[in-house]
Amino acid sequence: MKKIILTVIAVCGISFANAQESKVYLGVSVGVAFPGGDGSENLNSAGLNLGFLNFGYRFSESWGATLNLTSSGFAYKDIDGAALGVGVFSVGPMYTAKLGDKMSLDLKPQYAFSIAGKTKGLDEIDDATLKGSGIVLGSSLNFGISKGFKFSINLDYTTGKWKEIEFDGETESLDSNNKISSLVLGAGLRYNF
């Protein structure tokens, strides 16, 4: 009887170990970004978003941590050649829900400790640099046929506030009417190590 119980425990242990996804993934993404917040009425209704670094580490089958570096570009409506670039560097926990053998959903609330903006082509504040922080509510629907490569459909909402602006060699604090937000719908490719 003891041998049967030990065999069952061993088999179950192997099964659980194989069911867990890999501990580490590294990926990239591309998507469409929709701007919001103060001043967004001056921007085109959509821009391009690139996820340069999508990194995740799993502590268990369900819990982990994520680190992301993304950038969005938006053109101004009425000023030819003028644009705003926004980079977001964020980190936070990750919860993974398995939706079957080959599909999972990652929920990733993150603190965006660095939101940086850069203007180009604006006469009054050309080449201004904006700095702020905020939060990112991220999610990824992951699927694939191999253990290595996985595809993802991503939906991320970023909200925050610009805290300072630098132009002409001077830095000024910003107090009000400086809320920023964006909604990104994209697709990604990740490799599970």
Side-chain angles (χ1 to χ4, degrees), residues 66-186:
T66 184
L67 176 86
N68 297 283
L69 174 62
T70 64
S71 178
S72 298
F74 304 101
Y76 281 87
K77 286 180 182 176
D78 300 322
I79 307 170
D80 288 337
L84 171 66
V86 179
V88 179
F89 197 25
S90 59
V91 63
M94 174 175 60
Y95 177 77
T96 301
K98 291 196 68 76
L99 303 176
D101 290 339
K102 296 182 175 146
M103 190 176 292
S104 64
L105 177 67
D106 291 339
L107 301 175
K108 303 176 282 188
Q110 301 157 65
Y111 175 63
F113 57 88
S114 176
I115 301 178
K118 185 78 172 171
T119 63
K120 188 70 178 167
L122 295 177
D123 293 334
E124 64 274 14
I125 50 169
D126 192 25
D127 289 334
T129 300
L130 297 150
K131 295 178 183 174
S133 61
I135 60 169
V136 178
L137 302 175
S139 63
S140 297
L141 180 63
N142 312 300
F143 54 94
I145 56 172
S146 72
K147 283 199 162 196
F149 285 102
K150 301 274 185 185
F151 294 100
S152 66
I153 297 172
N154 309 313
L155 182 63
D156 300 317
Y157 177 71
T158 302
T159 183
K161 187 174 180 181
W162 298 123
K163 295 181 179 177
E164 61 182 37
I165 184 170
E166 179 187 331
F167 63 97
D168 289 338
E170 295 184 10
T171 301
E172 295 181 16
S173 295
L174 299 172
D175 295 325
S176 61
N177 299 325
N178 296 300
K179 293 179 182 175
I180 51 172
S181 65
S182 69
L183 180 67
V184 175
L185 177 61

